[in-house]
Amino acid sequence: MPMDATDQKLIKGVVIFALLGVGIYFYPFESPVPGIQKEIENLEAVRRELGEVKDEFENKIAPQHPAVWGLDGELKPMPDDKRPISEQITMFQRRIKQLEKDIAKKQEISRMSFAKWTELPATYEKVPGTYFANIYADRQQALRKDWRTANVDVLDDQLGFTEWTGNVDKINTPEKATELLRKLFIVETVIKLCINAKEEQTAMEVSQTRKPEAFMQIISVRPEDSDAVGPVALVDNPKYDPKELNPKSDRFQKYLIKTWRSFIQEYPVEIQLRCDVNSYKRFLYSVRSPGHFLVIRRLEVISPSINDSNKNKVEYNNIAKAKGLSAAVAEVPKEHIWVRMSAAGMDFFDPDEKSNIYATTKDGKAASKKKKEAGQQPRPRGY
């Protein structure tokens, strides 16, 4: 049956639309509008690029919905567990309270449990130096008895307080007395931990029917001024240029030091020891215990065996020339080590109220506002 004019127009229209569809699909250029095939190729290229960084990103962030990476699936505009705003607020408040409890628990574990005698009685507020002198004499006598009983040699009988033992008049404020009393407690804690470490090691060796070899000698103890500190972190310097040679340039430092407001009061004590390795291991283990938790700020360990070095004896010679050690160096067994370390006890304060633990609330608020913004400082290259 021959086609009439209408049939011919219909067939021509179908052919034209088919050719137009093929042209749109296979159109090879980006302008003015890319073809469908070109769009698919571009999409696949983007998916490949995302796939190359997917693993790296998911090591740092929570796993994302597959649609984020151009894979199957669609993002939902609302979560399945959507709740009214009032319920969300209640949930957040509950989480905040739990976080506060967790922080308080962590602080309790890390806080130094200062003895009652570190608190200045109201009756001594006008003569704080007298109270410190009395407490110092009592604690020194008790410690002296303990280290003699344990056969621990303490070369610094003044416990690092020589400056204050004969100058109680200088201790003329309750804050100064409290500071010194807390320092004394930290010193006492460190010495007792040394004594306990030596006694525990001796007991263990005796229980194994071995000749006791545990040894502990406290060469010096030096309490340092307390300091308010806060979190510190190294962050990448976005301006860093490895080709930059000028140390004063912003592009020279690879990292910056980022700081936050202080909320920890540290009471550091520098102590020098000569002891056997096993006793010192016990000491290091004990400083992590709740109640007398100490932060190790600096640690140097030198063995007499370093004297046998054919390369460098600088560290050994520095120890050998130290005051009070020269005559005894030759007799030190190779099983012993010299230790110089700085350990600090901690207490906590609210940075919204105080700039340090001794600041008044009014002054503390003013000081803390100045330190509220995080700061950044340059870090030497190589760190």
Side-chain angles (χ1 to χ4, degrees):
M1 179 178 179
M3 293 186 294
D4 58 17
T6 302
D7 293 335
Q8 292 177 356
K9 289 180 180 180
L10 177 62
I11 292 175
K12 287 181 180 179
V14 171
V15 171
I16 291 172
F17 276 108
L19 292 174
L20 182 62
V22 171
I24 292 174
Y25 187 87
F26 291 103
Y27 185 69
F29 306 106
E30 295 281 353
S31 179
V33 178
I36 295 176
Q37 186 183 41
K38 193 65 176 179
E39 287 281 21
I40 293 175
E41 292 176 356
N42 292 341
L43 179 61
E44 290 299 326
V46 171
R47 284 176 176 168
R48 286 194 298 271
E49 290 179 6
L50 288 174
E52 294 175 358
V53 298
K54 179 176 181 292
D55 294 338
E56 180 181 352
F57 270 82
E58 290 192 340
N59 284 335
K60 301 177 181 178
I61 61 175
Q64 301 296 302
H65 191 281
V68 173
W69 306 109
L71 304 175
D72 294 336
E74 294 182 358
L75 290 173
K76 296 180 180 179
M78 290 289 288
D80 293 332
D81 60 342
K82 51 184 177 293
R83 302 185 183 91
I85 292 297
S86 59
E87 291 186 16
Q88 293 280 20
I89 293 174
T90 302
M91 181 184 66
F92 287 135
Q93 289 175 340
R94 186 163 55 246
R95 289 180 178 176
I96 290 171
K97 289 181 179 179
Q98 183 59 48
L99 181 60
E100 290 175 345
K101 290 180 181 179
D102 293 342
I103 291 174
K105 185 177 180 180
K106 290 291 185 182
Q107 288 185 348
E108 190 62 30
I109 294 174
S110 304
R111 175 182 280 112
M112 178 63 67
S113 298
F114 290 101
K116 187 68 177 178
W117 53 260
T118 61
E119 300 175 10
L120 184 69
T123 53
Y124 282 91
E125 286 185 354
K126 293 184 178 180
V127 284
T130 301
Y131 179 76
F132 170 76
N134 294 341
I135 293 296
Y136 170 78
D138 291 341
R139 306 319 301 173
Q140 182 192 38
Q141 183 177 359
L143 276 176
R144 188 183 291 121
K145 181 180 178 181
D146 290 343
W147 73 57
R148 287 176 177 173
T149 300
N151 196 26
V152 171
D153 189 17
V154 179
L155 302 185
D156 184 3
D157 189 64
Q158 300 298 312
L159 310 180
F161 287 89
T162 306
E163 178 185 356
W164 303 103
T165 51
N167 297 284
V168 294
D169 292 340
K170 291 183 178 180
I171 310 172
N172 50 17
T173 64
E175 291 78 16
K176 188 62 182 178
T178 302
E179 169 92 0
L180 289 172
L181 289 167
R182 288 190 163 200
K183 288 182 182 179
L184 179 60
F185 180 79
I186 301 292
V187 168
E188 180 185 71
T189 299
V190 171
I191 292 177
K192 283 185 174 181
L193 291 178
C194 290
I195 293 173
N196 292 340
K198 192 258 184 181
E199 288 184 323
E200 290 174 3
Q201 181 62 26
T202 299
M204 188 274 289
E205 292 171 347
V206 170
S207 68
Q208 295 179 350
T209 64
R210 293 163 47 193
K211 180 181 177 181
E213 297 179 347
F215 178 84
M216 180 67 67
Q217 181 185 63
I218 300 175
I219 300 168
S220 66
V221 182
R222 186 171 65 87
E224 302 171 344
D225 291 338
S226 71
D227 187 26
V229 299
V232 178
L234 287 180
V235 297
D236 292 331
N237 181 2
K239 299 180 181 179
Y240 173 68
D241 182 359
K243 297 180 181 179
E244 178 61 58
L245 301 178
N246 182 7
K248 295 183 179 181
S249 171
D250 293 340
R251 299 187 299 272
F252 181 77
Q253 308 296 345
K254 186 174 183 179
Y255 301 105
L256 300 174
I257 300 177
K258 185 176 181 180
T259 61
W260 288 264
R261 288 188 300 167
S262 300
F263 67 97
I264 304 171
Q265 193 82 11
E266 285 192 348
Y267 297 85
V269 172
E270 184 185 270
I271 183 169
Q272 295 190 59
L273 308 172
R274 179 165 72 88
C275 57
D276 65 287
V277 173
N278 291 326
S279 293
Y280 188 63
K281 287 180 181 178
R282 293 181 180 273
F283 169 80
L284 284 180
Y285 180 80
S286 65
V287 302
R288 312 300 291 179
S289 304
H292 43 69
F293 186 95
L294 294 171
V295 177
I296 306 300
R297 294 163 45 123
R298 185 177 68 254
L299 176 61
E300 300 174 65
V301 179
I302 300 176
S303 167
S305 299
I306 201 173
N307 188 42
D308 298 331
S309 172
N310 294 323
K311 296 289 185 180
N312 194 320
K313 301 182 181 181
V314 173
E315 292 176 315
Y316 176 85
N317 292 336
N318 289 341
I319 287 288
K321 295 175 183 178
K323 182 179 179 181
L325 296 179
S326 301
V329 163
E331 303 173 3
V332 175
K334 293 184 179 297
E335 295 79 14
H336 289 185
I337 56 175
W338 284 290
V339 178
R340 181 165 61 185
M341 60 182 289
S342 177
M346 298 189 298
D347 201 356
F348 301 91
F349 59 90
D350 186 346
D352 288 328
E353 296 183 358
K354 298 182 177 183
S355 59
N356 64 71
I357 209 165
Y358 299 108
T360 61
T361 302
K362 182 177 179 181
D363 293 341
K365 282 183 178 179
S368 63
K369 285 181 180 178
K370 294 179 182 178
K371 297 182 179 180
K372 193 167 186 177
E373 298 298 329
Q376 291 188 342
Q377 302 173 11
R379 182 74 172 182
R381 180 173 290 185
Y383 283 82

